[in-house]
Amino acid sequence: MKVLVIGSGGREHAMVWKLAQSPQVTEIYCAPGNGGIAKMAQCIDVAADDMEGLLTFAKDKAIDLTLVGPEVSLTLGVVDLFQGAGLRIFGPSKKAAALEGSKVFMKDLLAKYDIPSAQYASFTDRDQAMAYVEKIGAPLVVKADGLAAGKGVLVCQELSEARDAVDLVMTQRAFGDAGDEVIIEEFLPGEEASFIAFTDGHTILPLPTSQDHKAVYEGDTGPNTGGMGAYSPAPVVTPELHDQVMEQVMLPTVKALATEGCPYKGMLYAGLMIRDGVAKVLEFNCRFGDPEAQPLLMRLNNDLVDVVEAVIDGNLGSITLDIDSRPTVCVVMASGGYPASYAKGYPISGLDKAAGQEDVVVFHAGTAVEKGAIVNTGGRVLGVTAIDGDLEKAIDKAYAVVDMIHWQDCYFRRDIGKKALGRKKS
Ligand code: AMP
Ligand code: GLY
C-alpha cells in the first residue's frame, strides 16, 4: 500500500514513524516533510496548502491512502478534493473542518446543542465589540474567528489589554481576514487537557488523555506557543471526568455535526478547561494535536492503517484500541527566541547518539538536511519522546536524551510533565 502523509511537523513524523511499522505499508511519501521524516519516507516538494499539487501527486503516484496532519489542508478542502477524484483520504470534509476553521461556527454549534463552553458573543463590528468588552469587563478572551496559526487567541487580564486586543484584530487586522469576526468570551480558570479521539461519525474511540504545555517558559509563564511538550495520560482527567467528556462533549458534538448536515470523520480533538471536576470546551481541532500526537502514537499498539481505514469505511465499531499502559512524555526542543523570531541553519549535534537509545524516539519538526547535516529551520525543532513504567521514569529518560542533543541557542522547558507528578503525590 502506498501512503501519503501531508504536513511537516513532529506530528507528521510520528504518523510516518507509526505507518512505517505497518506490514500493509510498502511506500510512504510525505508532502513536504522535514529532515527527520526524510529518513523514513520520500519527501516531496509540495506544500500542505497546495491543493492542486497534492492532488496531482496523489493521482500520478496512485496513492492508496492519504493522512492529513495540519488543519490548513483540511479547511481548504483537501478531503473533498481527493474524494471527488476517487482517492481514499483520512480527515473531515471542508464543511466539518469549520469546527476548527471558524470559532464562530464552533461556538454557535456548542451553544445550540448545550455543549459546555465559555459564555461568549460574536461581532463583525469593532464598535459593538468594544462596547461589549466595556460591559463585561476583564478578565476575558478575544479570539479571531478564522485560522491564525495559533496566534489569534488573546487572553486579557486587564480591560486595557482587551481594548488593545479588539483593535489588533479588527482595526489593525493583525490576522487578516481571520479577524473579520471576533469572539469575546468569558475567561475560564482551571487546568487544561487534550481529549483526542478517532470517529467515523457514529462511533467515537478516544485515545488516552494527554496534556500539552502551551506557554514558552517553565511554570506555564510567557507567551503561548504551538506546544512545548506533552505527556499521556493526564491524571487531571479522572475516570469520572472522562465519562462526562464522552457523554456531554464528544458524542453530542459528533451528533450535532451530523444533524447540521456536516457529518464528521477523522480525528476530533477537544481542548478542555477543567475546574472542580467539570470540563468545558475551549476549542475544537479537526486533527491530531502537535505535540500530543507524539506521546499518543507511541502508546498506540494497533496498526494505524486499520484504524484509519475503519474511519473512512464507517466501521470504527469493529476496532478496539490497544493502548500501552506505560506513560509517555514528549519534550519539545525549540530554536531560541521562539515563538518570536529566531535564527535558523545551525547544525544539530548528538542525534546519532540519541537515535541509539531504547524506548526514546526523537521526532523532527523544524529541521532540514543541509550539506549532509541536520539543521534547525523552524521554531519547534525536535520532540524527544520517551516511554517507561511510570511518568517520572519516562520524564527522566526523555531529558537524558535531550541532554545529548545540542545546537546554538537551543531552548526547552525543564518541567514537562511535572504538573502530573505533583498531582499524583497530593
Ligand atoms: P485556543 O486556540 O482556542 O485553544 O486558545 C489558545 C489558548 O488560550 C488555550 O489553550 C488556553 O490556554 C487559552 N484560552 C482560550 N480560551 C480561553 C478561555 N475562555 N479562558 C481561559 N483561557 C483560554
Ligand atoms: N497542541 C495544540 C494543538 O495541536 O493545537
Side-chain angles (χ1 to χ4, degrees), residues 1-7 15 19 29 31 54-55 57-59 62-69 73-74 78-79 82-83 87-91 308-309 312:
M1 177 184 279
K2 293 186 205 168
V3 183
L4 168 65
V5 174
I6 299 174
M15 288 158 76
L19 289 165
Y29 296 89
L54 291 168
L55 181 64
F57 175 81
K59 284 207 292 205
I63 295 292
D64 298 299
L65 177 65
T66 299
L67 277 71
V68 189
S73 319
L74 296 164
V78 73
V79 170
F82 272 47
Q83 281 176 349
L87 294 164
R88 283 166 73 75
I89 182 163
F90 171 73
V308 159
E309 295 222 291
I312 294 172

PDB file of all heavy atoms in Angstrom, residues 1-7 15 19 29 31 54-55 57-59 62-69 73-74 78-79 82-83 87-91 308-309 312:
ATOM      1  N   MET A   1       0.837  -1.192   0.000  1.00  0.00           N
ATOM      2  CA  MET A   1       0.000   0.000   0.000  1.00  0.00           C
ATOM      3  C   MET A   1       0.878   1.250   0.000  1.00  0.00           C
ATOM      4  O   MET A   1       1.834   1.346   0.765  1.00  0.00           O
ATOM      5  CB  MET A   1      -0.874  -0.016   1.279  1.00  0.00           C
ATOM      6  CG  MET A   1      -1.728   1.188   1.458  1.00  0.00           C
ATOM      7  SD  MET A   1      -2.629   1.166   3.036  1.00  0.00           S
ATOM      8  CE  MET A   1      -4.008   0.110   2.650  1.00  0.00           C
ATOM      9  N   LYS A   2       0.538   2.201  -0.895  1.00  0.00           N
ATOM     10  CA  LYS A   2       1.297   3.466  -0.950  1.00  0.00           C
ATOM     11  C   LYS A   2       0.545   4.520  -0.148  1.00  0.00           C
ATOM     12  O   LYS A   2      -0.632   4.785  -0.422  1.00  0.00           O
ATOM     13  CB  LYS A   2       1.384   3.954  -2.397  1.00  0.00           C
ATOM     14  CG  LYS A   2       2.199   3.079  -3.298  1.00  0.00           C
ATOM     15  CD  LYS A   2       2.294   3.785  -4.643  1.00  0.00           C
ATOM     16  CE  LYS A   2       2.523   2.784  -5.751  1.00  0.00           C
ATOM     17  NZ  LYS A   2       2.331   3.400  -7.060  1.00  0.00           N
ATOM     18  N   VAL A   3       1.239   5.108   0.824  1.00  0.00           N
ATOM     19  CA  VAL A   3       0.584   6.063   1.718  1.00  0.00           C
ATOM     20  C   VAL A   3       1.237   7.438   1.584  1.00  0.00           C
ATOM     21  O   VAL A   3       2.461   7.542   1.469  1.00  0.00           O
ATOM     22  CB  VAL A   3       0.672   5.578   3.193  1.00  0.00           C
ATOM     23  CG1 VAL A   3      -0.057   6.531   4.122  1.00  0.00           C
ATOM     24  CG2 VAL A   3       0.102   4.180   3.335  1.00  0.00           C
ATOM     25  N   LEU A   4       0.398   8.471   1.613  1.00  0.00           N
ATOM     26  CA  LEU A   4       0.892   9.852   1.605  1.00  0.00           C
ATOM     27  C   LEU A   4       0.499  10.516   2.924  1.00  0.00           C
ATOM     28  O   LEU A   4      -0.656  10.407   3.358  1.00  0.00           O
ATOM     29  CB  LEU A   4       0.250  10.615   0.433  1.00  0.00           C
ATOM     30  CG  LEU A   4       0.423  12.140   0.413  1.00  0.00           C
ATOM     31  CD1 LEU A   4       1.893  12.532   0.234  1.00  0.00           C
ATOM     32  CD2 LEU A   4      -0.410  12.769  -0.717  1.00  0.00           C
ATOM     33  N   VAL A   5       1.465  11.175   3.566  1.00  0.00           N
ATOM     34  CA  VAL A   5       1.168  11.983   4.756  1.00  0.00           C
ATOM     35  C   VAL A   5       1.385  13.444   4.373  1.00  0.00           C
ATOM     36  O   VAL A   5       2.420  13.792   3.800  1.00  0.00           O
ATOM     37  CB  VAL A   5       2.090  11.581   5.942  1.00  0.00           C
ATOM     38  CG1 VAL A   5       1.893  12.513   7.124  1.00  0.00           C
ATOM     39  CG2 VAL A   5       1.828  10.132   6.355  1.00  0.00           C
ATOM     40  N   ILE A   6       0.410  14.281   4.693  1.00  0.00           N
ATOM     41  CA  ILE A   6       0.520  15.713   4.380  1.00  0.00           C
ATOM     42  C   ILE A   6       0.939  16.463   5.640  1.00  0.00           C
ATOM     43  O   ILE A   6       0.287  16.328   6.688  1.00  0.00           O
ATOM     44  CB  ILE A   6      -0.823  16.270   3.849  1.00  0.00           C
ATOM     45  CG1 ILE A   6      -1.236  15.539   2.564  1.00  0.00           C
ATOM     46  CG2 ILE A   6      -0.727  17.779   3.611  1.00  0.00           C
ATOM     47  CD1 ILE A   6      -2.628  15.914   2.047  1.00  0.00           C
ATOM     48  N   GLY A   7       2.018  17.256   5.533  1.00  0.00           N
ATOM     49  CA  GLY A   7       2.463  18.068   6.665  1.00  0.00           C
ATOM     50  C   GLY A   7       3.966  17.967   6.872  1.00  0.00           C
ATOM     51  O   GLY A   7       4.656  17.223   6.155  1.00  0.00           O
ATOM     52  N   MET A  15       3.363  10.237  12.736  1.00  0.00           N
ATOM     53  CA  MET A  15       2.448   9.471  11.879  1.00  0.00           C
ATOM     54  C   MET A  15       3.250   8.588  10.914  1.00  0.00           C
ATOM     55  O   MET A  15       2.945   7.400  10.731  1.00  0.00           O
ATOM     56  CB  MET A  15       1.519  10.430  11.101  1.00  0.00           C
ATOM     57  CG  MET A  15       0.457  11.080  11.994  1.00  0.00           C
ATOM     58  SD  MET A  15      -0.227  12.640  11.347  1.00  0.00           S
ATOM     59  CE  MET A  15      -1.288  12.078  10.092  1.00  0.00           C
ATOM     60  N   LEU A  19       3.247   4.559  10.707  1.00  0.00           N
ATOM     61  CA  LEU A  19       2.875   3.886   9.450  1.00  0.00           C
ATOM     62  C   LEU A  19       3.996   2.960   8.974  1.00  0.00           C
ATOM     63  O   LEU A  19       3.728   1.903   8.396  1.00  0.00           O
ATOM     64  CB  LEU A  19       2.574   4.926   8.360  1.00  0.00           C
ATOM     65  CG  LEU A  19       1.286   5.722   8.552  1.00  0.00           C
ATOM     66  CD1 LEU A  19       1.266   6.943   7.638  1.00  0.00           C
ATOM     67  CD2 LEU A  19       0.066   4.836   8.282  1.00  0.00           C
ATOM     68  N   TYR A  29       5.143   8.444   1.397  1.00  0.00           N
ATOM     69  CA  TYR A  29       5.534   9.753   0.869  1.00  0.00           C
ATOM     70  C   TYR A  29       5.071  10.806   1.864  1.00  0.00           C
ATOM     71  O   TYR A  29       4.068  10.618   2.557  1.00  0.00           O
ATOM     72  CB  TYR A  29       4.858  10.016  -0.480  1.00  0.00           C
ATOM     73  CG  TYR A  29       5.290   9.038  -1.541  1.00  0.00           C
ATOM     74  CD1 TYR A  29       4.591   7.839  -1.715  1.00  0.00           C
ATOM     75  CD2 TYR A  29       6.398   9.299  -2.339  1.00  0.00           C
ATOM     76  CE1 TYR A  29       5.002   6.924  -2.675  1.00  0.00           C
ATOM     77  CE2 TYR A  29       6.807   8.391  -3.294  1.00  0.00           C
ATOM     78  CZ  TYR A  29       6.106   7.205  -3.468  1.00  0.00           C
ATOM     79  OH  TYR A  29       6.517   6.304  -4.412  1.00  0.00           O
ATOM     80  N   ALA A  31       4.461  15.120   2.162  1.00  0.00           N
ATOM     81  CA  ALA A  31       4.456  16.430   1.493  1.00  0.00           C
ATOM     82  C   ALA A  31       4.250  17.526   2.521  1.00  0.00           C
ATOM     83  O   ALA A  31       3.181  17.595   3.099  1.00  0.00           O
ATOM     84  CB  ALA A  31       3.322  16.479   0.461  1.00  0.00           C
ATOM     85  N   LEU A  54      -0.997  18.646  -4.467  1.00  0.00           N
ATOM     86  CA  LEU A  54      -1.196  17.408  -3.700  1.00  0.00           C
ATOM     87  C   LEU A  54      -2.020  16.409  -4.516  1.00  0.00           C
ATOM     88  O   LEU A  54      -1.690  15.221  -4.582  1.00  0.00           O
ATOM     89  CB  LEU A  54      -1.905  17.712  -2.371  1.00  0.00           C
ATOM     90  CG  LEU A  54      -1.088  18.499  -1.340  1.00  0.00           C
ATOM     91  CD1 LEU A  54      -1.987  18.979  -0.194  1.00  0.00           C
ATOM     92  CD2 LEU A  54       0.067  17.657  -0.789  1.00  0.00           C
ATOM     93  N   LEU A  55      -3.078  16.918  -5.137  1.00  0.00           N
ATOM     94  CA  LEU A  55      -3.953  16.023  -5.907  1.00  0.00           C
ATOM     95  C   LEU A  55      -3.208  15.427  -7.104  1.00  0.00           C
ATOM     96  O   LEU A  55      -3.294  14.216  -7.361  1.00  0.00           O
ATOM     97  CB  LEU A  55      -5.202  16.783  -6.380  1.00  0.00           C
ATOM     98  CG  LEU A  55      -6.210  15.950  -7.167  1.00  0.00           C
ATOM     99  CD1 LEU A  55      -6.792  14.841  -6.301  1.00  0.00           C
ATOM    100  CD2 LEU A  55      -7.337  16.823  -7.716  1.00  0.00           C
ATOM    101  N   PHE A  57      -0.028  14.943  -7.434  1.00  0.00           N
ATOM    102  CA  PHE A  57       0.949  13.949  -6.969  1.00  0.00           C
ATOM    103  C   PHE A  57       0.244  12.636  -6.627  1.00  0.00           C
ATOM    104  O   PHE A  57       0.682  11.556  -7.032  1.00  0.00           O
ATOM    105  CB  PHE A  57       1.713  14.481  -5.745  1.00  0.00           C
ATOM    106  CG  PHE A  57       2.636  13.441  -5.155  1.00  0.00           C
ATOM    107  CD1 PHE A  57       3.880  13.209  -5.719  1.00  0.00           C
ATOM    108  CD2 PHE A  57       2.241  12.667  -4.065  1.00  0.00           C
ATOM    109  CE1 PHE A  57       4.719  12.217  -5.222  1.00  0.00           C
ATOM    110  CE2 PHE A  57       3.072  11.677  -3.558  1.00  0.00           C
ATOM    111  CZ  PHE A  57       4.316  11.455  -4.126  1.00  0.00           C
ATOM    112  N   ALA A  58      -0.844  12.730  -5.868  1.00  0.00           N
ATOM    113  CA  ALA A  58      -1.526  11.510  -5.408  1.00  0.00           C
ATOM    114  C   ALA A  58      -2.075  10.713  -6.595  1.00  0.00           C
ATOM    115  O   ALA A  58      -2.031   9.475  -6.594  1.00  0.00           O
ATOM    116  CB  ALA A  58      -2.652  11.884  -4.442  1.00  0.00           C
ATOM    117  N   LYS A  59      -2.564  11.422  -7.606  1.00  0.00           N
ATOM    118  CA  LYS A  59      -3.092  10.718  -8.793  1.00  0.00           C
ATOM    119  C   LYS A  59      -1.946  10.079  -9.588  1.00  0.00           C
ATOM    120  O   LYS A  59      -2.020   8.911  -9.960  1.00  0.00           O
ATOM    121  CB  LYS A  59      -3.882  11.700  -9.672  1.00  0.00           C
ATOM    122  CG  LYS A  59      -5.257  12.016  -9.069  1.00  0.00           C
ATOM    123  CD  LYS A  59      -6.321  12.399 -10.076  1.00  0.00           C
ATOM    124  CE  LYS A  59      -6.072  13.702 -10.732  1.00  0.00           C
ATOM    125  NZ  LYS A  59      -7.279  14.375 -11.242  1.00  0.00           N
ATOM    126  N   ALA A  62      -0.642   7.098  -7.858  1.00  0.00           N
ATOM    127  CA  ALA A  62      -1.704   6.145  -7.478  1.00  0.00           C
ATOM    128  C   ALA A  62      -1.619   5.822  -5.982  1.00  0.00           C
ATOM    129  O   ALA A  62      -1.509   4.663  -5.567  1.00  0.00           O
ATOM    130  CB  ALA A  62      -1.622   4.873  -8.312  1.00  0.00           C
ATOM    131  N   ILE A  63      -1.659   6.884  -5.165  1.00  0.00           N
ATOM    132  CA  ILE A  63      -1.599   6.746  -3.703  1.00  0.00           C
ATOM    133  C   ILE A  63      -2.865   6.024  -3.219  1.00  0.00           C
ATOM    134  O   ILE A  63      -3.972   6.371  -3.621  1.00  0.00           O
ATOM    135  CB  ILE A  63      -1.470   8.140  -3.043  1.00  0.00           C
ATOM    136  CG1 ILE A  63      -0.135   8.811  -3.423  1.00  0.00           C
ATOM    137  CG2 ILE A  63      -1.653   8.068  -1.523  1.00  0.00           C
ATOM    138  CD1 ILE A  63       1.107   8.163  -2.870  1.00  0.00           C
ATOM    139  N   ASP A  64      -2.679   5.029  -2.366  1.00  0.00           N
ATOM    140  CA  ASP A  64      -3.824   4.237  -1.884  1.00  0.00           C
ATOM    141  C   ASP A  64      -4.525   4.889  -0.697  1.00  0.00           C
ATOM    142  O   ASP A  64      -5.718   4.673  -0.478  1.00  0.00           O
ATOM    143  CB  ASP A  64      -3.349   2.843  -1.461  1.00  0.00           C
ATOM    144  CG  ASP A  64      -2.748   2.090  -2.633  1.00  0.00           C
ATOM    145  OD1 ASP A  64      -3.481   1.861  -3.609  1.00  0.00           O
ATOM    146  OD2 ASP A  64      -1.541   1.759  -2.585  1.00  0.00           O
ATOM    147  N   LEU A  65      -3.747   5.621   0.110  1.00  0.00           N
ATOM    148  CA  LEU A  65      -4.308   6.171   1.344  1.00  0.00           C
ATOM    149  C   LEU A  65      -3.546   7.442   1.714  1.00  0.00           C
ATOM    150  O   LEU A  65      -2.311   7.450   1.704  1.00  0.00           O
ATOM    151  CB  LEU A  65      -4.157   5.136   2.474  1.00  0.00           C
ATOM    152  CG  LEU A  65      -4.619   5.535   3.869  1.00  0.00           C
ATOM    153  CD1 LEU A  65      -6.129   5.764   3.894  1.00  0.00           C
ATOM    154  CD2 LEU A  65      -4.249   4.450   4.890  1.00  0.00           C
ATOM    155  N   THR A  66      -4.296   8.505   2.061  1.00  0.00           N
ATOM    156  CA  THR A  66      -3.656   9.773   2.465  1.00  0.00           C
ATOM    157  C   THR A  66      -4.096  10.136   3.880  1.00  0.00           C
ATOM    158  O   THR A  66      -5.283  10.041   4.212  1.00  0.00           O
ATOM    159  CB  THR A  66      -4.027  10.902   1.481  1.00  0.00           C
ATOM    160  OG1 THR A  66      -3.550  10.543   0.182  1.00  0.00           O
ATOM    161  CG2 THR A  66      -3.416  12.228   1.888  1.00  0.00           C
ATOM    162  N   LEU A  67      -3.115  10.532   4.705  1.00  0.00           N
ATOM    163  CA  LEU A  67      -3.407  11.016   6.059  1.00  0.00           C
ATOM    164  C   LEU A  67      -3.013  12.494   6.115  1.00  0.00           C
ATOM    165  O   LEU A  67      -1.926  12.852   5.654  1.00  0.00           O
ATOM    166  CB  LEU A  67      -2.601  10.249   7.104  1.00  0.00           C
ATOM    167  CG  LEU A  67      -3.154   8.901   7.570  1.00  0.00           C
ATOM    168  CD1 LEU A  67      -3.045   7.852   6.477  1.00  0.00           C
ATOM    169  CD2 LEU A  67      -2.420   8.421   8.804  1.00  0.00           C
ATOM    170  N   VAL A  68      -3.880  13.307   6.707  1.00  0.00           N
ATOM    171  CA  VAL A  68      -3.632  14.749   6.732  1.00  0.00           C
ATOM    172  C   VAL A  68      -3.215  15.175   8.134  1.00  0.00           C
ATOM    173  O   VAL A  68      -3.912  14.876   9.105  1.00  0.00           O
ATOM    174  CB  VAL A  68      -4.902  15.527   6.326  1.00  0.00           C
ATOM    175  CG1 VAL A  68      -4.584  17.005   6.131  1.00  0.00           C
ATOM    176  CG2 VAL A  68      -5.526  14.935   5.067  1.00  0.00           C
ATOM    177  N   GLY A  69      -2.106  15.901   8.250  1.00  0.00           N
ATOM    178  CA  GLY A  69      -1.676  16.417   9.546  1.00  0.00           C
ATOM    179  C   GLY A  69      -2.302  17.755   9.882  1.00  0.00           C
ATOM    180  O   GLY A  69      -3.105  17.863  10.809  1.00  0.00           O
ATOM    181  N   SER A  73      -4.796  22.220   5.458  1.00  0.00           N
ATOM    182  CA  SER A  73      -5.186  21.384   4.310  1.00  0.00           C
ATOM    183  C   SER A  73      -6.661  20.995   4.428  1.00  0.00           C
ATOM    184  O   SER A  73      -7.390  20.961   3.440  1.00  0.00           O
ATOM    185  CB  SER A  73      -4.342  20.106   4.266  1.00  0.00           C
ATOM    186  OG  SER A  73      -2.995  20.348   4.575  1.00  0.00           O
ATOM    187  N   LEU A  74      -7.097  20.719   5.657  1.00  0.00           N
ATOM    188  CA  LEU A  74      -8.476  20.275   5.876  1.00  0.00           C
ATOM    189  C   LEU A  74      -9.462  21.409   5.634  1.00  0.00           C
ATOM    190  O   LEU A  74     -10.495  21.210   4.983  1.00  0.00           O
ATOM    191  CB  LEU A  74      -8.627  19.727   7.298  1.00  0.00           C
ATOM    192  CG  LEU A  74      -7.797  18.462   7.577  1.00  0.00           C
ATOM    193  CD1 LEU A  74      -7.682  18.200   9.070  1.00  0.00           C
ATOM    194  CD2 LEU A  74      -8.394  17.252   6.864  1.00  0.00           C
ATOM    195  N   VAL A  78      -9.079  19.597   1.328  1.00  0.00           N
ATOM    196  CA  VAL A  78      -8.304  18.528   0.673  1.00  0.00           C
ATOM    197  C   VAL A  78      -9.068  17.199   0.653  1.00  0.00           C
ATOM    198  O   VAL A  78      -8.962  16.422  -0.298  1.00  0.00           O
ATOM    199  CB  VAL A  78      -6.905  18.374   1.345  1.00  0.00           C
ATOM    200  CG1 VAL A  78      -6.996  17.729   2.718  1.00  0.00           C
ATOM    201  CG2 VAL A  78      -5.964  17.580   0.445  1.00  0.00           C
ATOM    202  N   VAL A  79      -9.878  16.969   1.683  1.00  0.00           N
ATOM    203  CA  VAL A  79     -10.620  15.699   1.755  1.00  0.00           C
ATOM    204  C   VAL A  79     -11.682  15.647   0.652  1.00  0.00           C
ATOM    205  O   VAL A  79     -11.803  14.645  -0.069  1.00  0.00           O
ATOM    206  CB  VAL A  79     -11.232  15.510   3.163  1.00  0.00           C
ATOM    207  CG1 VAL A  79     -12.208  14.341   3.191  1.00  0.00           C
ATOM    208  CG2 VAL A  79     -10.107  15.302   4.181  1.00  0.00           C
ATOM    209  N   PHE A  82      -9.854  15.177  -2.789  1.00  0.00           N
ATOM    210  CA  PHE A  82      -9.340  13.821  -3.015  1.00  0.00           C
ATOM    211  C   PHE A  82     -10.502  12.844  -3.230  1.00  0.00           C
ATOM    212  O   PHE A  82     -10.459  11.999  -4.109  1.00  0.00           O
ATOM    213  CB  PHE A  82      -8.465  13.366  -1.837  1.00  0.00           C
ATOM    214  CG  PHE A  82      -7.012  13.756  -1.958  1.00  0.00           C
ATOM    215  CD1 PHE A  82      -6.645  15.048  -2.304  1.00  0.00           C
ATOM    216  CD2 PHE A  82      -5.992  12.837  -1.718  1.00  0.00           C
ATOM    217  CE1 PHE A  82      -5.303  15.417  -2.413  1.00  0.00           C
ATOM    218  CE2 PHE A  82      -4.651  13.190  -1.829  1.00  0.00           C
ATOM    219  CZ  PHE A  82      -4.302  14.475  -2.170  1.00  0.00           C
ATOM    220  N   GLN A  83     -11.534  12.965  -2.393  1.00  0.00           N
ATOM    221  CA  GLN A  83     -12.664  12.042  -2.526  1.00  0.00           C
ATOM    222  C   GLN A  83     -13.343  12.214  -3.880  1.00  0.00           C
ATOM    223  O   GLN A  83     -13.740  11.236  -4.506  1.00  0.00           O
ATOM    224  CB  GLN A  83     -13.670  12.248  -1.394  1.00  0.00           C
ATOM    225  CG  GLN A  83     -13.194  11.582  -0.108  1.00  0.00           C
ATOM    226  CD  GLN A  83     -14.115  11.853   1.069  1.00  0.00           C
ATOM    227  OE1 GLN A  83     -15.004  12.703   1.002  1.00  0.00           O
ATOM    228  NE2 GLN A  83     -13.887  11.140   2.157  1.00  0.00           N
ATOM    229  N   LEU A  87     -10.043   9.146  -4.487  1.00  0.00           N
ATOM    230  CA  LEU A  87      -8.907   8.738  -3.648  1.00  0.00           C
ATOM    231  C   LEU A  87      -9.339   8.588  -2.200  1.00  0.00           C
ATOM    232  O   LEU A  87     -10.206   9.323  -1.717  1.00  0.00           O
ATOM    233  CB  LEU A  87      -7.804   9.795  -3.736  1.00  0.00           C
ATOM    234  CG  LEU A  87      -7.136   9.937  -5.104  1.00  0.00           C
ATOM    235  CD1 LEU A  87      -6.356  11.251  -5.189  1.00  0.00           C
ATOM    236  CD2 LEU A  87      -6.191   8.758  -5.358  1.00  0.00           C
ATOM    237  N   ARG A  88      -8.712   7.645  -1.498  1.00  0.00           N
ATOM    238  CA  ARG A  88      -9.049   7.425  -0.083  1.00  0.00           C
ATOM    239  C   ARG A  88      -8.194   8.344   0.792  1.00  0.00           C
ATOM    240  O   ARG A  88      -6.969   8.348   0.688  1.00  0.00           O
ATOM    241  CB  ARG A  88      -8.818   5.952   0.294  1.00  0.00           C
ATOM    242  CG  ARG A  88      -9.936   5.062  -0.214  1.00  0.00           C
ATOM    243  CD  ARG A  88      -9.568   3.607  -0.143  1.00  0.00           C
ATOM    244  NE  ARG A  88      -9.555   3.065   1.212  1.00  0.00           N
ATOM    245  CZ  ARG A  88     -10.636   2.772   1.925  1.00  0.00           C
ATOM    246  NH1 ARG A  88     -11.839   2.996   1.436  1.00  0.00           N
ATOM    247  NH2 ARG A  88     -10.526   2.243   3.129  1.00  0.00           N
ATOM    248  N   ILE A  89      -8.877   9.086   1.654  1.00  0.00           N
ATOM    249  CA  ILE A  89      -8.179  10.077   2.483  1.00  0.00           C
ATOM    250  C   ILE A  89      -8.840  10.142   3.850  1.00  0.00           C
ATOM    251  O   ILE A  89     -10.066  10.021   3.975  1.00  0.00           O
ATOM    252  CB  ILE A  89      -8.151  11.464   1.780  1.00  0.00           C
ATOM    253  CG1 ILE A  89      -7.381  12.505   2.631  1.00  0.00           C
ATOM    254  CG2 ILE A  89      -9.548  11.976   1.452  1.00  0.00           C
ATOM    255  CD1 ILE A  89      -6.967  13.743   1.838  1.00  0.00           C
ATOM    256  N   PHE A  90      -8.010  10.329   4.886  1.00  0.00           N
ATOM    257  CA  PHE A  90      -8.470  10.322   6.280  1.00  0.00           C
ATOM    258  C   PHE A  90      -8.537  11.753   6.806  1.00  0.00           C
ATOM    259  O   PHE A  90      -7.514  12.439   6.864  1.00  0.00           O
ATOM    260  CB  PHE A  90      -7.490   9.499   7.120  1.00  0.00           C
ATOM    261  CG  PHE A  90      -7.722   9.578   8.602  1.00  0.00           C
ATOM    262  CD1 PHE A  90      -8.798   8.921   9.169  1.00  0.00           C
ATOM    263  CD2 PHE A  90      -6.856  10.286   9.426  1.00  0.00           C
ATOM    264  CE1 PHE A  90      -9.018   8.973  10.547  1.00  0.00           C
ATOM    265  CE2 PHE A  90      -7.065  10.334  10.798  1.00  0.00           C
ATOM    266  CZ  PHE A  90      -8.147   9.679  11.358  1.00  0.00           C
ATOM    267  N   GLY A  91      -9.763  12.197   7.183  1.00  0.00           N
ATOM    268  CA  GLY A  91      -9.921  13.534   7.757  1.00  0.00           C
ATOM    269  C   GLY A  91     -11.322  14.028   7.492  1.00  0.00           C
ATOM    270  O   GLY A  91     -12.067  13.440   6.697  1.00  0.00           O
ATOM    271  N   VAL A 308      -7.474   3.890  10.671  1.00  0.00           N
ATOM    272  CA  VAL A 308      -7.787   4.950   9.714  1.00  0.00           C
ATOM    273  C   VAL A 308      -8.744   4.433   8.632  1.00  0.00           C
ATOM    274  O   VAL A 308      -9.699   5.113   8.234  1.00  0.00           O
ATOM    275  CB  VAL A 308      -6.445   5.461   9.123  1.00  0.00           C
ATOM    276  CG1 VAL A 308      -6.636   6.171   7.812  1.00  0.00           C
ATOM    277  CG2 VAL A 308      -5.744   6.355  10.131  1.00  0.00           C
ATOM    278  N   GLU A 309      -8.514   3.219   8.178  1.00  0.00           N
ATOM    279  CA  GLU A 309      -9.400   2.658   7.144  1.00  0.00           C
ATOM    280  C   GLU A 309     -10.799   2.402   7.700  1.00  0.00           C
ATOM    281  O   GLU A 309     -11.790   2.590   6.995  1.00  0.00           O
ATOM    282  CB  GLU A 309      -8.794   1.379   6.577  1.00  0.00           C
ATOM    283  CG  GLU A 309      -7.501   1.681   5.836  1.00  0.00           C
ATOM    284  CD  GLU A 309      -7.373   0.922   4.536  1.00  0.00           C
ATOM    285  OE1 GLU A 309      -7.217  -0.309   4.601  1.00  0.00           O
ATOM    286  OE2 GLU A 309      -7.443   1.575   3.488  1.00  0.00           O
ATOM    287  N   ILE A 312     -12.600   5.686   7.575  1.00  0.00           N
ATOM    288  CA  ILE A 312     -13.012   6.027   6.205  1.00  0.00           C
ATOM    289  C   ILE A 312     -14.225   5.185   5.795  1.00  0.00           C
ATOM    290  O   ILE A 312     -15.170   5.693   5.191  1.00  0.00           O
ATOM    291  CB  ILE A 312     -11.834   5.814   5.218  1.00  0.00           C
ATOM    292  CG1 ILE A 312     -10.709   6.810   5.515  1.00  0.00           C
ATOM    293  CG2 ILE A 312     -12.312   5.946   3.762  1.00  0.00           C
ATOM    294  CD1 ILE A 312      -9.425   6.580   4.732  1.00  0.00           C
TER     295      ILE A 312
END
